[in-house]
Amino acid sequence: MASPVLPSSGVLSPLGLDAVRLAPGFWGDRVVLNREVTMAHCQEWMEKEGWIANFRGELPRRGREFSDSEIYKLLEGLAWADHPALPELAGIVARAQEADGYLNTRWRHARYTDFEWGHELYCYGHLIQAGVARLRTHGEDELTQVVRRVADHVCDRFMETTETCGHPVVEMALVELFRATGVERYLEMARRFVDRRGLPALADIEFGRSYFQDDVPVRRARVFHGHAVRALYLASGVVDVAVETGDLDLLKTVEAQWESTIARRTYLTGGMGSRHFGESFGEDFELPSDRAYSETCAGVASFMLAHRLLLATGDVRYADLAERTLYNVLATSPALDGKSFFYANPLQVRVPAEPLDGINLAAEGGLRSPWFTVSCCPSNIARTFASLPAYVAAADGAGVRVHHHTPAEIRHDGLVLNVETDYPWSGRVAVTVAEGGTGPISLRVPAWAEGATLSYGETRRAVPPGYAVAEVDGGWRPGDVITLDLPVVSRWTVPDARIDALRGSVAIERGPLVYCAESAGDVPPLAEVVVRPDAAVEHVVDGAVELDVKAALISGAPTGWPYTAEKETPDEEPITLRLVAYHRWGNHGPATMRVWLPVDTARSRYLEEV
């Protein structure tokens, strides 16, 4: 089956790319754009920057010590997309492999001399994932043989040591290769890498060992901490190891870490990582909007982890978080043309970014860049979107569960379903049976969707958040239709009072989408706007829904001192503020932006009514 995650056990079994085909729509359009534009864009930049030339042996070597991994992530995307560019690029990589399986363009003459920063095992992880994609979409070929030799080399070199890599990812790659090949030692190697974390196995650094998740053993950690991408990649590998070894205690450990992180260290968008220093998680409730790092790659890793936990447990909360992250982090990073990207995804931009001259070296939020000095995010988006159909639905033993609502054809056990919807802009999801079969058909009702209804045949009933299950006696027949109506309407959201940076502010969501104000066009300075959380007025613009909300512009000259002993009511000018879906912001040049908007304190009753 063509899927990036294929556990041998668990509550759910994914339906792969061979069973789910996306049709035109929100995600189907992005998958096509990714295949036709984004992957070629990535390959062009990798050639331009000399990263592919490194595999040809051209000197001097160019790019950071981990640049090999970007070629491997692109290879994975090409494999999932069955792209004709794969064989030539894979051949270039194959010719750089050494006789014992070692493959790295930076360290070939100084192997394994820097486990903290060398990224050799990290690069192997992404190469192995590319090989797994090729095995599952095509079968054995030159690339898969390269990957087998790499994995065997890793086992030969590291099975009996206590060494590991400063950047996790090889763990989940080795488990997936075990699942694809049945070679037991790949799983054992992954298990040992997991167990070595926190011994400690790595040297201390400026950011502390938590940067590597090496400050405490995995089983003793209580929340995700340190470098966000590293933490989430490691957790994904830990879930894989737990599932394949039957270690339920280890699985419950990751579930508890996830629960704590969602409750205390996650942004409204689903973004993770609040500190630029160390690209890391902050402390509990440390979630500033303007300094949010919320790296795109952390969003990808969080999505991968949530999907793994969903398959293992069947708990709908993981699908809810995966959806939030999909629409508000992963969809936000690439521009609408698929040729530039956000690296960081802040929830507020105070000053418009300077127009780019070339590439973004600092990877700061505020303006998408066609490429970065550390360009991990574009290729990560490319491989994730290429495999996206495999995340849409799963089998639960009796029937089909649809996690993510998007136009698609879904096949399982003789049953063929055609899904039609304009989600996320509207809430109607119609599932038509094209070829009959048996078993329940379950459609996810998101946590925000109070008041949803499910209809089929003579049945019509209200359904709570969770999975709405449709069943019929005698099986489904061609032409049967199941309709899920979700209340996709705007709603005001208030933050937990313990989030210092957000007190006195509100945000607006609509369906799975977070909205924001953007200073494109005729918009007043966002720093001087307060909102009145009344009902929003909807407008359809270029197929997307935008919202008008009541607001006020604080006027009057500043007094020279922004603090007073008595509460004063500032002069205000009523205005209407236009909000756009957060994933669409930044497509019209440099702008300011904010998700969380201060409430008009002169009318504090609005706070009580939200």
Side-chain angles (χ1 to χ4, degrees), residues 398-430:
V400 174
R401 290 196 200 183
V402 179
H403 310 308
H404 301 294
H405 303 306
T406 189
E409 178 189 82
I410 300 173
R411 294 176 173 268
H412 174 64
D413 199 22
L415 187 67
V416 180
L417 307 175
N418 289 326
V419 182
E420 296 180 311
T421 181
D422 192 35
Y423 192 82
W425 307 116
S426 67
R428 170 153 291 197
V429 182

Side-chain angles (χ1 to χ4, degrees), residues 484-528:
L484 177 66
D485 282 299
L486 300 171
V488 174
V489 294
S490 59
R491 62 192 185 277
W492 291 96
T493 300
V494 296
D496 189 298
R498 289 167 289 187
I499 305 176
D500 295 329
L502 301 181
R503 290 195 191 106
S505 296
V506 292
I508 195 166
E509 300 176 83
R510 184 179 183 277
L513 303 178
V514 172
Y515 275 70
C516 68
E518 179 184 13
S519 65
D522 186 21
V523 176
L526 296 182
E528 299 177 12

Side-chain angles (χ1 to χ4, degrees), residues 571-593:
D571 295 330
E572 297 177 349
E573 175 189 348
I575 62 170
T576 297
L577 185 65
R578 176 64 58 94
L579 303 178
V580 300
Y582 175 74
H583 74 263
R584 294 177 66 87
W585 94 271
N587 280 283
H588 304 287
T592 61
M593 177 276 296

Side-chain angles (χ1 to χ4, degrees), residues 102-351:
Y102 183 87
L103 178 53
N104 190 282
T105 68
R106 168 63 178 84
W107 299 103
R108 62 195 317 169
H109 301 301
R111 295 183 181 188
Y112 308 122
T113 55
D114 188 349
F115 285 108
E116 289 73 30
W117 301 108
H119 289 78
E120 284 156 288
L121 287 167
Y122 168 79
C123 290
Y124 289 153
H126 284 302
L127 177 57
I128 291 169
Q129 288 174 318
V132 169
R134 189 61 168 168
L135 274 171
R136 290 178 175 162
T137 56
H138 177 273
E140 294 283 1
D141 69 355
E142 186 176 34
L143 176 59
T144 65
Q145 291 303 310
V146 167
V147 166
R148 285 177 179 268
R149 288 193 293 270
V150 160
D152 290 338
H153 166 78
V154 170
C155 292
D156 292 341
R157 171 63 178 77
F158 291 98
M159 190 70 76
E160 303 304 328
T161 74
T162 59
E163 298 158 324
T164 191
C165 183
H167 199 312
V169 85
V170 73
E171 298 85 358
M172 59 173 154
L174 284 167
V175 175
E176 217 60 56
L177 187 60
F178 155 72
R179 291 167 172 167
T181 64
V183 177
E184 292 279 350
R185 68 174 183 159
Y186 299 154
L187 174 60
E188 177 60 18
M189 186 73 261
R191 186 191 67 78
R192 294 190 185 192
F193 278 142
V194 166
D195 285 347
R196 289 171 193 173
R197 292 278 164 185
L199 293 179
L202 299 161
D204 205 357
I205 60 167
E206 175 189 6
F207 302 124
R209 286 195 176 93
S210 63
Y211 182 83
F212 303 129
Q213 284 67 57
D214 194 44
D215 56 325
V216 60
V218 167
R219 295 174 190 271
R220 286 173 44 199
R222 295 293 175 261
V223 67
F224 299 144
H225 63 290
H227 188 280
V229 179
R230 286 169 163 85
L232 295 163
Y233 276 168
L234 177 62
S236 296
V238 173
V239 171
D240 289 337
V241 167
V243 167
E244 296 306 324
T245 60
D247 192 336
L248 295 182
D249 289 339
L250 185 58
L251 178 61
K252 289 184 181 301
T253 295
V254 181
E255 290 184 77
Q257 294 167 354
W258 185 90
E259 291 283 352
S260 295
T261 303
I262 297 306
R264 301 166 182 270
R265 299 185 175 188
T266 302
Y267 282 98
L268 181 65
T269 56
M272 295 193 182
S274 60
R275 292 182 179 177
H276 288 234
F277 182 79
E279 299 181 310
S280 63
F281 288 98
E283 297 299 326
D284 289 351
F285 306 108
E286 183 188 335
L287 295 165
S289 291
D290 54 345
R291 292 301 294 165
Y293 201 62
S294 184
E295 184 183 337
T296 296
C297 285
V300 169
S302 174
F303 176 67
M304 290 178 172
L305 173 60
H307 183 68
R308 284 166 163 79
L309 289 168
L310 172 64
L311 296 178
T313 68
D315 190 334
V316 70
R317 291 189 63 222
Y318 299 120
D320 284 344
L321 190 279
E323 177 182 74
R324 181 175 292 275
T325 307
L326 262 178
Y327 281 102
N328 301 298
V329 180
L330 273 63
T332 305
S333 178
L336 295 178
D337 66 0
K339 293 183 178 181
S340 60
F341 310 85
F342 283 140
Y343 189 110
N345 294 277
L347 280 70
Q348 180 177 0
V349 175
R350 295 179 180 274
V351 179

Side-chain angles (χ1 to χ4, degrees), residues 51-72:
W51 298 356
I52 295 176
N54 293 335
F55 288 89
R56 301 188 184 102
E58 296 181 17
L59 297 175
R61 184 190 181 279
R62 296 171 62 186
R64 292 289 300 273
E65 61 274 15
F66 41 73
S67 64
D68 289 3
S69 69
E70 308 316 330
I71 284 77
Y72 302 153

